[in-house]
Amino acid sequence: MLEKLMRKIEKNSNIVDKEFIEKAYNLANYAHEKQRRESGEPYIVHPVEVACILAGFGMDENTIAAGLLHDVIEDTDYSFEDIEREFNKEVAILVDGVTKLGKIKYKTKEEQQADNVRKMLLAMTKDIRVILIKLADRLHNMRTLRYMPVEKQKEKAKETFDIYAPLAHRLGMFKIKWELEDLAFRYINPNEYYDLVRRIAEKRIEREEYISTIISDLSNRLENASIESDIEGRPKHFYSIYRKMVNKNKTIDQIFDLTAIRILVDNIKDCYAVLGIVHTVYKPIPGRFKDYIAMPKPNMYQSLHTTVIGPQGKTFEIQIRTFEMHKTAEYGIAAHWKYKEGDKGQGEGGDLDSKFSWLRDMLEWQKETSDAEEFMEGFKIDLFSDEVFVFTPKGEVINLPYDSTPIDFAYRIHTDIGNKCIGSKVNGNMVPLDYKLKTGEIVEVLTSSTPKGPSIDWLNIAKSNQAKSKIRAWFKKEKREENVSKGKEILEKESKKQGYNFGEIAKGEIFDKVLKRYNFNNIDDLFAAVGMGVIVPSTVVIKLKEGTSNNSSSALESLQSKITEDNISHHDEKPMNDKGYGITVKGLTNVLVRFAKCCNPVPGDGIIGYITKGRGISVHRSDCKNIKSMDEDDDGKFIEVEWGNNRIDGYISEVQLKAEDRSGLLSDVMVVIVESKMNLHAINAKSIKGNIATINVRLKINDIEQLKEFMKKVKKIQGVIEVYRKKY
């Protein structure tokens, strides 16, 4: 294995200290000596393969050594200090940057994932090589995913789709991105993957002959024009073809450009000369030419793309670029790493630093987001978003997320410009602030010398997380006193509405716990958040008033005595018992019982009761995240409940699915509902970024088995990525 790594280094890397690499190998081999992978092979195989991938990028010795040691701190007894002492601080920092936060206990998997991504982003801003090691690590893990349990395969594949493939795209590492997408596609949609592979293979010979004819023709013409070139056919990766089939609702026979022709030349002048020859030989398709040389992508990608009509009327794509551009297209930032050019300075270098401003913007935004689900959703949107390229009046190119508005543009230029913005012009014409910017437009921001600051409505208009974070920061700083006063008034009104005095319930240990739950230091922070609309006041009051209840026995007594006094008007909050609704409460009869809407329990679910003040017993699923997040002092309020012999006519449950957005998806879901003979209560569908659709289905069901059977059928629908019960 060590010899294999050394050969890889000799072929791809600059001068590397082989003794240094061998030392790292020996330590990793010793540290992982007793460990085995799921495949049964020695664990050292994995770090060596990661190091080989990094050597293939042409990385420096510290990065390759860190690749060999990347799991040592996380999975063995070696510490950061041990690595620093044996090697150097740089290697230790790289290894620590890749190390997950595995020793911290989290309430949910989302919180753990969010903190790991935060740590990775922070490490990336200090040294971009951290993500190169992480991508190499994930790539080899995906290559060997077949040895993992099926559920773990799908979990890792989904995480790869959501995080690592988009990161590779952002970093311009297309070779890694394509392989990660194909591997993830194979495990998330195995039926579609293997069917596509089979159908593409069926006409492979015919397709290769067609491409060979075109390559031969172009080679002769370029040779006659005295242009030295390297021409090859590049098969498009499977996931790219699959997405095109789904998005355009086409069959494999209707997609002709399954192979792109790539022409590599020595310089930019030859790129445009080749383009002229190509358009002379083959008819170009209008609107399908893109010049990424004159206007490179933010991830440094440069190339000319054109789609033409070839022999037999078949369309195909031609990419034209220099050899240096091709190197960047394959390895992105790794191809431009400053260390590779012999500069031992810190960081990526000024030019690269400006190319990845999105990383700093993302990190700045995430500092203000404490909710794990919100952070991960925003992170994925940032990665998946398509981009538009607009110009300042001076001709500077500004890249923004797709559907961005002049507000996003203003805050991208400077925070003060955004805060002073009062209007905008696009191509010299006035436009509203919610105007959707398009590529190629010239944008001018109109500002005021006496600005009032941003409007709270801008949070709904802005598209980028960067702009939203700047707007929130302004309100937090400039409007704090106003929001504190407003929030206090709102909470007092809400408390009065629920029959309480806010001053009486906002004190003591329970109040300290509520502040801690929302990460606030004092009551003014809470008031300000409510005043801004960040926190729902009713939620705060409910949490505070629940803390005023005494122990469980007195709560039960008060509950029993209030049963006859309570007059709940909600249709789903009637007194119920085994005879009426199929729920029995241990030790009590004729009590007010209601199903919790946060988890919608159905027969077959494990359930638990929670005693509320004045609203009876709330029945939750045992795995409900709200139950799990209850403080230890709340244990006295839990009560045993169980499903009885009788049932009501249908229980409400909500299912959400994510799928590749395509024509006919919703009708396919409706067919499954009809075939399952289930009563549809409500259905809602919407498209999100990345050509993904979400569909929420609210159903009346009899028990958990009926729900599981329905979800199983939905999962078989073409393009469905995941199906799960909705939680609020």
Side-chain angles (χ1 to χ4, degrees):
M1 286 185 293
L2 181 59
E3 289 176 1
K4 174 185 175 183
L5 174 59
M6 291 302 184
R7 287 196 299 271
K8 197 82 172 179
I9 291 172
E10 288 175 3
K11 182 179 179 181
N12 297 282
S13 300
N14 280 349
I15 300 172
V16 171
D17 185 345
K18 293 183 179 180
E19 289 185 6
F20 189 78
I21 300 300
E22 186 172 353
K23 182 181 177 182
Y25 169 82
N26 289 333
L27 190 147
N29 193 25
Y30 176 77
H32 295 297
E33 187 177 16
K34 297 179 181 180
Q35 297 174 353
R36 295 269 167 181
R37 304 198 80 216
E38 291 289 334
S39 62
E41 61 190 3
Y43 194 88
I44 187 63
V45 170
H46 171 63
V48 169
E49 288 297 334
V50 170
C52 284
I53 293 171
L54 292 168
F57 295 165
M59 299 307 296
D60 60 289
E61 61 193 39
N62 283 332
T63 310
I64 297 172
L68 285 166
L69 301 166
H70 77 274
D71 277 335
V72 166
I73 294 179
E74 184 176 339
D75 295 338
T76 75
D77 294 331
Y78 282 87
S79 65
F80 178 95
E81 290 73 21
D82 293 332
I83 302 299
E84 182 180 4
R85 184 175 58 253
E86 291 292 329
F87 297 92
N88 56 53
K89 189 172 184 178
E90 193 176 308
V91 172
I93 289 173
L94 289 173
V95 174
D96 185 62
V98 182
T99 302
K100 295 193 288 289
L101 305 170
K103 297 180 181 178
I104 301 174
K105 291 184 178 180
Y106 295 90
K107 291 179 180 177
T108 65
K109 184 166 267 187
E110 287 80 9
E111 284 186 12
Q112 184 176 19
Q113 186 185 54
D115 268 6
N116 282 326
V117 170
R118 280 188 173 103
K119 183 174 186 286
M120 184 173 68
L121 286 175
L122 185 59
M124 283 170 63
T125 59
K126 295 177 180 178
D127 197 324
I128 202 71
R129 290 175 297 175
V130 167
I131 193 57
L132 302 184
I133 299 170
K134 192 63 187 174
L135 286 173
D137 173 43
R138 178 52 59 111
L139 179 58
H140 184 250
N141 280 333
M142 289 300 294
R143 287 173 177 174
T144 56
L145 198 58
R146 63 186 179 277
Y147 298 108
M148 300 292 286
V150 174
E151 286 304 313
K152 200 72 174 177
Q153 288 176 356
K154 291 188 178 297
E155 179 187 323
K156 291 293 183 184
K158 183 179 183 303
E159 189 178 54
T160 299
F161 259 141
D162 289 347
I163 297 173
Y164 294 101
L167 268 175
H169 174 83
R170 280 283 193 161
L171 296 169
M173 305 178 73
F174 290 99
K175 189 173 184 179
I176 306 301
K177 175 207 172 189
W178 292 328
E179 187 174 354
L180 286 175
E181 284 182 340
D182 279 353
L183 289 168
F185 175 39
R186 172 182 170 186
Y187 290 104
I188 288 181
N189 298 101
N191 293 334
E192 289 87 343
Y193 174 83
Y194 287 110
D195 181 57
L196 184 62
V197 171
R198 177 185 57 80
R199 287 192 286 171
I200 289 177
E202 285 176 354
K203 295 188 177 181
R204 181 177 60 85
I205 296 176
E206 176 186 332
R207 191 166 57 253
E208 287 179 350
E209 289 177 351
Y210 181 78
I211 293 297
S212 295
T213 302
I214 294 172
I215 290 176
S216 177
D217 183 32
L218 285 174
S219 295
N220 292 332
R221 292 176 183 272
L222 294 183
E223 188 177 340
N224 293 335
S226 300
I227 297 176
E228 293 187 12
S229 63
D230 185 355
I231 308 177
E232 61 181 4
R234 179 187 66 82
K236 292 199 171 181
H237 62 301
F238 296 120
Y239 183 64
S240 172
I241 297 170
Y242 174 72
R243 283 188 61 180
K244 184 174 286 190
M245 290 169 62
V246 172
N247 294 342
K248 297 185 178 181
N249 198 24
K250 290 185 175 182
T251 65
I252 190 73
D253 296 326
Q254 294 173 309
I255 298 177
F256 298 113
D257 54 338
L258 296 178
T259 305
I261 291 177
R262 181 185 295 136
I263 304 176
L264 304 181
V265 293
D266 290 326
N267 53 59
I268 293 177
K269 184 183 75 171
D270 285 348
C271 287
Y272 290 99
V274 169
L275 178 68
I277 293 171
V278 167
H279 283 180
T280 302
V281 180
Y282 305 111
K283 186 176 181 180
I285 296 178
R288 296 293 299 274
F289 168 66
K290 295 176 183 177
D291 188 344
Y292 294 120
I293 293 180
M295 191 179 291
K297 290 185 177 183
N299 56 20
M300 301 176 295
Y301 178 85
Q302 287 185 286
S303 186
L304 297 176
H305 289 194
T306 184
T307 303
V308 298
I309 301 174
Q312 304 167 32
K314 294 181 179 180
T315 62
F316 62 94
E317 184 184 65
I318 294 181
Q319 300 171 356
I320 308 166
R321 63 182 75 136
T322 67
F323 290 97
E324 192 63 33
M325 290 174 189
H326 179 58
K327 191 176 182 182
T328 300
E330 294 277 289
Y331 299 113
I333 193 168
H336 284 259
W337 177 246
K338 208 174 179 185
Y339 282 76
K340 195 167 187 310
E341 298 169 1
D343 188 336
K344 297 295 182 183
Q346 297 298 315
E348 306 96 306
D351 182 54
L352 290 181
D353 192 51
S354 65
K355 296 286 186 184
F356 295 97
S357 58
W358 59 270
L359 182 58
R360 291 192 305 277
D361 295 340
M362 197 181 293
L363 188 65
E364 183 178 333
W365 166 76
Q366 64 85 22
K367 287 178 183 176
E368 302 175 11
T369 311
S370 57
D371 183 80
E373 290 187 14
E374 181 187 349
F375 168 72
M376 287 309 300
E377 192 63 30
F379 176 71
K380 292 172 188 177
I381 289 172
D382 268 358
L383 287 180
F384 272 117
S385 291
D386 290 329
E387 293 176 304
V388 294
F389 300 88
V390 294
F391 295 92
T392 67
K394 293 183 178 180
E396 182 184 352
V397 179
I398 302 294
N399 64 292
L400 295 165
Y402 186 74
D403 275 351
S404 284
T405 65
I407 293 173
D408 297 288
F409 177 86
Y411 279 103
R412 178 58 60 85
I413 299 300
H414 197 277
T415 302
D416 287 342
I417 300 295
N419 290 337
K420 295 178 181 179
C421 176
I422 57 172
S424 178
K425 288 183 178 181
V426 172
N427 295 335
N429 300 315
M430 290 293 298
V431 296
L433 289 177
D434 61 356
Y435 175 83
K436 306 295 185 185
L437 298 174
K438 302 176 186 65
T439 293
E441 291 180 329
I442 301 173
V443 186
E444 181 182 354
V445 179
L446 306 179
T447 59
S448 170
S449 56
T450 56
K452 296 180 180 179
S455 164
I456 194 70
D457 294 336
W458 287 11
L459 288 172
N460 297 322
I461 296 174
K463 177 66 179 176
S464 64
N465 285 320
Q466 181 205 19
K468 290 180 180 181
S469 69
K470 297 293 186 184
I471 295 166
R472 289 194 187 100
W474 187 89
F475 277 101
K476 186 175 180 180
K477 181 181 178 182
E478 301 293 332
K479 297 284 186 177
R480 179 173 173 79
E481 290 185 12
E482 183 181 326
N483 284 323
V484 168
S485 176
K486 183 180 177 182
K488 183 179 180 182
E489 182 182 346
I490 291 172
L491 282 173
E492 287 175 345
K493 284 184 178 179
E494 182 63 33
S495 300
K496 188 175 181 180
K497 181 180 174 183
Q498 296 191 31
Y500 291 86
N501 181 294
F502 183 74
E504 292 179 0
I505 61 176
K507 59 185 178 181
E509 192 175 338
I510 185 64
F511 181 64
D512 292 337
K513 287 183 177 179
V514 170
L515 289 180
K516 187 176 180 181
R517 180 185 180 88
Y518 289 110
N519 295 320
F520 294 137
N521 296 320
N522 53 58
I523 193 170
D524 282 352
D525 289 344
L526 175 63
F527 287 152
V530 172
M532 285 178 62
V534 175
I535 294 178
V536 179
S538 59
T539 305
V540 177
V541 175
I542 289 170
K543 283 290 175 190
L544 289 172
K545 74 178 188 179
E546 285 176 355
T548 63
S549 298
N550 297 321
N551 58 43
S552 61
S553 59
S554 62
L556 282 171
E557 290 171 8
S558 65
L559 180 61
Q560 288 276 42
S561 65
K562 278 186 69 66
I563 290 295
T564 56
E565 300 173 12
D566 285 326
N567 181 19
I568 306 291
S569 60
H570 301 291
H571 72 278
D572 59 345
E573 295 180 357
K574 301 174 184 177
M576 59 186 183
N577 49 39
D578 186 24
K579 292 181 180 179
Y581 290 84
I583 296 290
T584 59
V585 182
K586 185 177 181 180
L588 297 174
T589 58
N590 295 321
V591 295
L592 181 69
V593 184
R594 62 190 179 90
F595 290 125
K597 292 183 178 179
C598 55
C599 55
N600 288 323
V602 299
D605 284 328
I607 53 176
I608 190 168
Y610 182 77
I611 303 165
T612 64
K613 185 176 177 65
R615 301 183 74 194
I617 294 174
S618 176
V619 179
H620 292 256
R621 282 164 47 187
S622 301
D623 62 349
C624 176
K625 63 181 180 180
N626 287 336
I627 288 292
K628 288 184 176 182
S629 65
M630 295 294 183
D631 294 326
E632 293 180 2
D633 291 348
D634 287 331
D635 287 346
K637 292 189 177 184
F638 294 124
I639 189 169
E640 288 186 33
V641 294
E642 60 184 21
W643 297 103
N645 296 322
N646 299 307
R647 298 283 188 270
I648 62 173
D649 184 20
Y651 295 81
I652 297 296
S653 186
E654 188 165 354
V655 172
Q656 184 171 81
L657 66 95
K658 287 186 179 180
E660 295 279 353
D661 198 358
R662 63 175 174 83
S663 175
L665 175 62
L666 189 59
S667 63
D668 287 347
V669 175
M670 291 299 295
V671 168
V672 173
I673 294 173
V674 173
E675 289 178 348
S676 301
K677 298 180 180 178
M678 305 178 81
N679 292 324
L680 178 64
H681 194 267
I683 190 167
N684 180 46
K686 65 179 181 179
S687 293
I688 58 178
K689 290 301 176 186
N691 295 310
I692 300 295
T694 61
I695 300 178
N696 286 358
V697 183
R698 198 170 171 82
L699 302 160
K700 274 191 175 183
I701 62 172
N702 296 324
D703 53 37
I704 191 67
E705 294 305 319
Q706 188 181 18
L707 182 63
K708 286 181 179 177
E709 186 62 27
F710 170 73
M711 293 172 68
K712 186 177 179 181
K713 290 179 180 178
V714 169
K715 209 164 187 178
K716 293 180 180 179
I717 295 175
Q718 179 186 348
V720 170
I721 299 170
E722 61 178 335
V723 183
Y724 50 88
R725 287 175 74 178
K726 183 74 184 291
K727 293 183 181 180
Y728 295 92

